[in-house]
């Protein structure tokens, strides 16, 4: 497999009971590409991300991460997850730990990084997301946008090859969305491979290499944002974009 292939999904299926959520999904993401998944709620976007991070286990199909086919039972999923950073809609910071304690936790306990090295790296990441002055603050004292930027720094602390973002701005007040999107744009500009589930169509048009429209568990259309947003080939894509733009 091409070494620059960071994620490849073949015929991925996932059901929850009688609900068939992902239906024969195929997706390829190359190194340094930014892919935005768009579509109505319930179309399977978040479930696809959770399967890529093995928070949900597929029913069948193949998942390749950085050229390696990942199989349940033969791979240490924690090791795989360390390559695939994930940022959620609702931050999931530890409320009883300061900002810097949140960030150093996984490198120290999962990657066995020396504490002083982990702290140095955490401070560098906090500087990157513009929150170096908040290292000793507890999450309750942060705005939603600040919490989400800490969550991004925490995911980056594991030095992942790929970053997954599951609607990272949808729980934020409108005036705080921009600061999180700016951090994500910076990562994209630095060449981070990213898959982003988002309702922020402006962000998708500006930053994505590919936009992927999902409907009812299937990928309906994939295209460059300029093409897909302006001149979608599929009627369902057009109907969706007419409803949100």
């Amino acid at each position: 497999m091409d070494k620059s292939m960071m994620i490849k999904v073949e015929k991925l299926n996932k059901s929850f009971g009688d609900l068939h959520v992902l239906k024969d999904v195929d997706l390829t993401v190359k190194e340094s590409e930014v892919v935005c998944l768009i579509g109505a709620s319930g179309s399977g976007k978040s479930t696809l991300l959770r399967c890529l991070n093995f928070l949900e286990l597929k029913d069948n199909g193949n998942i390749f991460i950085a050229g390696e086919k990942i199989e349940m039972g033969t791979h240490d999923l924690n090791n795989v997850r360390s390559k695939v950073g994930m940022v959620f809609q609702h931050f999931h910071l530890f409320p009883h730990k300061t900002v810097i304690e949140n960030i150093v936790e996984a490198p120290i306990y999962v990657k066995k990084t020396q504490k002083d090295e982990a702290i140095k790296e955490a401070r560098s990441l906090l500087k990157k997301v513009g929150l170096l002055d908040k290292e000793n603050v507890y999450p309750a004292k942060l705005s939603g946008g600040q919490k989400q930027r800490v969550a991004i720094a925490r995911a980056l602390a594991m030095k992942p090859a790929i970053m997954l973002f599951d609607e990272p701005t949808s729980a934020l007040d409108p005036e705080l969305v921009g600061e999180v999107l700016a951090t994500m744009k910076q990562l994209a500009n630095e060449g981070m491979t990213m898959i982003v589930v988002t309702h922020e169509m402006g962000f998708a048009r500006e930053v994505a290499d590919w936009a992927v429209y999902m409907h009812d568990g299937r990928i309906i259309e994939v295209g460059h944002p300029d093409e897909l947003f302006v001149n979608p080939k599929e009627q369902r894509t057009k109907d969706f974009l007419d409803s949100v733009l």
Side-chain angles (χ1 to χ4, degrees), residues 95-132:
H96 60 290
K97 292 183 182 292
T98 62
V99 163
I100 200 153
E101 287 169 345
N102 264 281
I103 295 171
V104 301
E105 174 99 352
I108 290 173
Y109 292 103
V110 179
K111 285 203 152 179
K112 307 294 183 238
T113 306
Q114 292 295 320
K115 186 174 182 182
D116 53 354
E117 188 187 329
I119 288 172
K120 185 179 167 192
E121 177 68 19
R123 286 189 175 131
S124 145
L125 289 168
L126 282 172
K127 188 175 179 187
K128 181 200 262 302
V129 301
L131 291 171
L132 189 53

Side-chain angles (χ1 to χ4, degrees), residues 176-194:
L176 302 176
V177 168
E179 65 193 53
V180 174
L181 293 181
T183 299
M184 292 166 65
K185 283 177 194 169
Q186 183 187 346
L187 288 180
N189 291 336
E190 291 169 2
M192 174 61 78
T193 308
M194 294 161 55

Side-chain angles (χ1 to χ4, degrees), residues 68-80 83:
E68 187 178 9
K69 186 176 175 182
I70 307 299
E71 290 296 352
M72 311 302 136
T74 55
H75 282 86
D76 174 0
L77 292 186
N78 282 334
N79 185 36
V80 176
K83 296 177 189 169

